[in-house]
Amino acid sequence: MTEDKPTDPAFDRDRLLHWMAANGVNQTTRDHPAVFRVEEGLELKAAMPGAHTKNLFLKDKKGRLWLISARQDTVVDLKRAPKTIGSDKLSFGNETLLYETLGVRGGSVTALGLINDPDQRVTFVLDKALWDADIVNFHPLTNTATTALAQADFRRFLTLIGREPMVVDFGRLI
């Protein structure tokens, strides 16, 4: 009898970066000490160009899963967001569900984790400030590095994995 635990995700950092290179998604990845919250590593981020992100893995009352990726300084009001994105009341998803769907642990939530969700169980919501940024920075499935992508490469990544984000201007919801 096997233990009831999630299987390992198809992609980890190394496989993700190899896949990006093989598919013409240009990126620059910098290693750094582990960063668990937006407030941490500000000096690291200051030395890296582009928009830095915060990523929220959420579940609504109906069991639908959501990933909101926003610019690190964007306020995401979780009480107002459901009306805007068409969800029920939102709360944070648990670590087991996060690992099962995006293949990452808490502190490493990232839009790049969508590569581990081929069944598209997670609805992707992207802050307009990130959609408009020239360069976006995400963790490459681990919080010990940051991957910078030009907007065209980020959109190529999304296209290759068959994702069309719901773009929301969270700055206008305040």
Side-chain angles (χ1 to χ4, degrees), residues 60 64 66 68 77-90 125 166 168 170 173:
D60 71 16
R64 292 174 58 198
W66 303 84
I68 296 178
D77 184 338
L78 294 182
K79 291 184 179 177
R80 296 178 79 180
K83 181 179 178 186
T84 303
I85 66 175
S87 73
D88 209 327
K89 181 180 176 185
L90 295 164
V125 180
M166 177 189 307
V168 173
F170 286 104
L173 297 181

Side-chain angles (χ1 to χ4, degrees), residues 148-168:
L149 299 153
Q151 187 60 239
D153 288 296
F154 179 56
R155 291 183 187 190
R156 178 167 173 71
F157 169 80
L158 293 174
T159 298
L160 288 167
I161 64 168
R163 290 302 186 112
E164 176 101 12
M166 177 189 307
V167 178
V168 173

Side-chain angles (χ1 to χ4, degrees), residues 33-84:
V35 176
F36 293 92
R37 293 182 307 282
V38 170
E39 303 81 29
E40 294 179 66
L42 293 177
E43 67 285 345
L44 294 167
K45 295 173 186 175
M48 301 173 72
H52 292 272
T53 59
K54 63 179 164 189
N55 299 274
L56 308 173
F57 178 70
L58 306 164
K59 181 177 180 179
D60 71 16
K61 284 176 51 177
K62 294 181 180 175
R64 292 174 58 198
L65 304 176
W66 303 84
L67 173 63
I68 296 178
S69 292
R71 192 177 169 109
Q72 74 177 3
D73 56 355
T74 297
V75 174
V76 178
D77 184 338
L78 294 182
K79 291 184 179 177
R80 296 178 79 180
K83 181 179 178 186
T84 303

Side-chain angles (χ1 to χ4, degrees), residues 103-115:
V104 297
R105 302 287 183 198
S108 297
V109 180
T110 173
L112 301 179
L114 293 167
I115 198 167

Side-chain angles (χ1 to χ4, degrees), residues 6 57 92-101 104-107:
F57 178 70
F92 287 94
N94 68 47
E95 180 127 356
T96 300
L97 199 51
L98 172 62
Y99 190 74
E100 286 175 0
T101 54
V104 297
R105 302 287 183 198

